[in-house]
Amino acid sequence: CILMDVRMPVLDGISATKQIRAMARADAKTIPILAMTANAFSEDVKECLDAGMNAHIAKPIDSNKMFNIILKYINS
């Protein structure tokens, strides 16, 4: 499971996710990638999901919600 910060300095999380999903490795298509960002408008969520992320976790982080989302993806 990858917890992806969307606003990183050199390579943003959207671009990083697209690069991961485009890799030739089989697990690159299936590893859960979860956005963690303060960008919480509906268009931000859509951008993350369109990039190949599995879920969006808005900051400030609700730890119970975050753990439930992580468990959903690592148990499936």
Side-chain angles (χ1 to χ4, degrees):
C1 183
I2 298 171
L3 301 177
M4 182 67 75
D5 186 353
V6 173
R7 301 185 103 197
M8 298 184 295
V10 176
L11 181 66
D12 67 83
I14 299 295
S15 298
T17 297
K18 289 177 181 179
Q19 287 186 15
I20 291 167
R21 294 298 190 215
M23 294 173 74
R25 296 172 47 141
D27 60 348
K29 309 290 187 244
T30 59
I31 189 165
I33 302 176
L34 313 177
M36 297 183 73
T37 179
N39 301 346
F41 292 110
S42 59
E43 58 268 16
D44 299 315
V45 175
K46 182 180 181 331
E47 182 179 27
C48 291
L49 298 177
D50 288 349
M53 295 184 198
N54 299 86
H56 180 281
I57 302 168
K59 294 178 183 177
I61 303 296
D62 174 333
S63 59
N64 286 329
K65 180 178 178 180
M66 180 185 71
F67 291 131
N68 285 331
I69 291 171
I70 292 170
L71 287 172
K72 172 185 173 182
Y73 287 100
I74 63 172
N75 287 329
S76 56

